[in-house]
Amino acid sequence: MFSLVAAGCVEQSGGADSADSVSAESDEKIVLTLSSGLSTANGWWEGYFVPWMEEVEERTDGRVEFEHYANQELIPINEELQALENGAIDIAAPLWTQYDPQRFPLSEVTMLPLLESDTMIATKAYGELVKSDHELADGQTFNEMEFSSRGLKVFATPTTAEYVISTKDVALDTAADLKKLSLRSPTRVHEIFANNVGISSISMPSTEMFDAINRGAFHGSFFSVADWTGYGMQEVFNYTFEGVNLGHFAGMWAMTEETWNSIPEDIQKIMEEASYEQIPKGAQVWMDRAEKIRTEAEANGAVFEKMDDVDEEAQQLLVQGIEDTWIEWIEELEGNGQPGKEMAILWRDLVIEQGGTVPEAIMELE
């Protein structure tokens, strides 16, 4: 867990008190334990978390060191919040808010389907969302409602590349083809979309998907092309429909505010500045990876189709599915006492500002 090792006499009676008693100019060393459920081949790990740690260590001249663990080596996925709270780790990299909609209901907003977007658009919009001072309800912002109210300090990370429909040996040309599909659904929002379009969905961890598709358990998955190589799916998927953007998975760099407040202010500033400088670089890593994977897949005979490649009935069904998913998500959150509509409108506006597009019915939401 978090520790302060000071060159002078520093009392070790508690993290926050100890750090407060150490000046920014002292020779104390801060050792932070960072846990990640990501594989070391994951784009988040390579493109954001590792460069961020390296940058912080360099800028602090060795005053900060990270003990980092990947591949769920220290903490299993979805147990990061408890590990933060009980002091087993200092940083969750990431905190999987999308997998925990009961605690973080508003964070699902980045998974709402769009007509057009890319990793950079979504990443910039997400960065603005986390920093936004827009009040959603009771005078609270998104960050306050989701994170600081739970005693968490968070930074935005790059979003993943857009989710699309990828299958093994099954093409999509008509509305009837859509309704015959059986797809692995990674989030609750994908399940809502699948139900609205008529696609059968199956919930399953991504680590089990390779074997399940190969044995014919289902046809494919809502998945990001940039993440294929992290799970070996470049060996499985040979058809991908990119005609609609089925959301961007987002996670959070997270630490308890108690631990954050125990760190000297000059180091806090370095950590935060390094994070936001790395975000667009991390997004570009995802985009470059997606392009490389797509090029290699096409060379091996894989097919990538756009909206104009399917018939008009299928296009109408997909657009209607996007609209219905937004409305259903809003109504569910509002029914649970959450500012679903205000959250959806804020996300829509941030995406539009960065160059994304949504159906006309979503543009008309007020």
Side-chain angles (χ1 to χ4, degrees):
M1 62 181 294
F2 172 80
S3 63
L4 290 173
V5 183
C9 282
V10 179
E11 224 176 88
Q12 298 295 316
S13 59
D17 292 340
S18 298
D20 289 343
S21 67
V22 181
S23 71
E25 290 75 27
S26 68
D27 295 327
E28 97 276 5
K29 180 174 289 186
I30 300 173
V31 181
L32 296 168
T33 301
L34 181 148
S35 176
S36 180
L38 302 169
S39 77
T40 54
N42 185 276
W44 262 345
W45 186 252
E46 289 185 349
Y48 175 78
F49 288 113
V50 169
W52 174 79
M53 286 188 285
E54 292 173 346
E55 189 69 17
V56 170
E57 289 180 340
E58 180 179 345
R59 291 192 192 184
T60 59
D61 296 321
R63 290 169 60 201
V64 173
E65 288 185 5
F66 294 95
E67 291 182 356
H68 55 80
Y69 302 86
N71 294 304
Q72 305 185 67
E73 181 182 358
L74 187 62
I75 303 296
I77 286 177
N78 254 19
E79 294 185 16
E80 292 89 355
L81 181 59
Q82 181 180 355
L84 286 171
E85 292 173 342
N86 65 27
I89 62 175
D90 299 308
I91 300 171
L95 183 66
W96 301 86
T97 54
Q98 307 280 8
Y99 292 156
D100 197 357
Q102 294 300 315
R103 289 190 180 91
F104 304 103
L106 301 178
S107 292
E108 285 186 323
V109 74
T110 65
M111 296 310 308
L112 289 174
L114 309 166
L115 284 179
E116 295 179 1
S117 176
D118 61 29
T119 317
M120 195 65 71
I121 288 172
T123 291
K124 290 179 178 179
Y126 189 53
E128 292 301 316
L129 174 62
V130 175
K131 294 186 293 183
S132 174
D133 59 3
H134 181 89
E135 295 179 0
L136 295 175
D138 301 323
Q140 291 188 305
T141 66
F142 167 75
N143 195 330
E144 290 168 341
M145 292 189 73
E146 292 281 270
F147 305 111
S148 61
S149 63
R150 296 182 178 276
L152 295 172
K153 171 66 178 180
V154 300
F155 298 149
T157 67
T159 69
T160 65
E162 59 274 18
Y163 273 59
V164 292
I165 295 173
S166 292
T167 68
K168 179 183 180 183
D169 301 328
V170 178
L172 190 169
D173 295 307
T174 67
D177 292 336
L178 273 169
K179 295 178 180 181
K180 293 176 183 177
L181 283 178
S182 175
L183 301 177
R184 177 250 177 186
S185 177
T187 72
R188 195 179 71 88
V189 177
H190 286 114
E191 292 175 2
I192 296 173
F193 175 80
N195 184 62
N196 285 325
V197 174
I199 295 171
S200 299
S201 65
I202 298 170
S203 295
M204 175 181 290
S206 54
T207 51
E208 299 176 16
M209 183 170 51
F210 182 93
D211 290 337
I213 292 178
N214 277 320
R215 67 171 182 267
F218 46 92
H219 299 129
S221 180
F222 298 106
F223 211 57
S224 162
V225 174
D227 215 14
W228 282 9
T229 53
Y231 300 90
M233 302 313 296
Q234 73 279 8
E235 301 176 14
V236 177
F237 294 143
N238 53 24
Y239 173 85
T240 295
F241 178 71
E242 299 179 304
V244 291
N245 177 322
L246 297 172
H248 295 266
F249 198 97
M252 303 300 303
W253 178 107
M255 176 183 276
T256 65
E257 286 193 340
E258 181 180 3
T259 301
W260 174 256
N261 291 334
S262 70
I263 297 172
E265 289 186 6
D266 66 319
I267 291 181
Q268 288 180 346
K269 183 178 180 181
I270 289 171
M271 293 171 72
E272 191 151 11
E273 286 179 348
S275 173
Y276 280 98
E277 288 171 11
Q278 190 59 41
I279 285 175
K281 298 176 184 177
Q284 191 62 53
V285 168
W286 279 122
M287 295 179 75
D288 293 344
R289 179 178 289 201
E291 186 59 33
K292 180 180 179 182
I293 291 171
R294 185 182 290 104
T295 299
E296 291 176 351
E298 288 178 327
N300 291 325
V303 174
F304 291 79
E305 291 193 334
K306 303 292 186 183
M307 186 71 94
D308 290 342
D309 296 319
V310 301
D311 70 17
E312 188 166 338
E313 184 182 2
Q315 293 180 33
Q316 293 174 352
L317 179 61
L318 288 163
V319 172
Q320 187 66 51
I322 293 174
E323 296 173 354
D324 292 344
T325 298
W326 279 68
I327 299 304
E328 186 172 339
W329 186 82
I330 289 170
E331 290 177 349
E332 282 191 12
L333 264 69
E334 295 281 346
N336 291 327
Q338 298 289 336
K341 187 174 183 180
E342 192 69 19
M343 181 73 251
I345 290 173
L346 175 58
W347 176 244
R348 176 203 67 190
D349 291 347
L350 290 171
V351 168
I352 297 301
E353 285 174 12
Q354 297 299 333
T357 63
V358 297
E360 189 62 31
I362 306 306
M363 287 297 299
E364 293 173 356
L365 286 174
E366 295 180 356

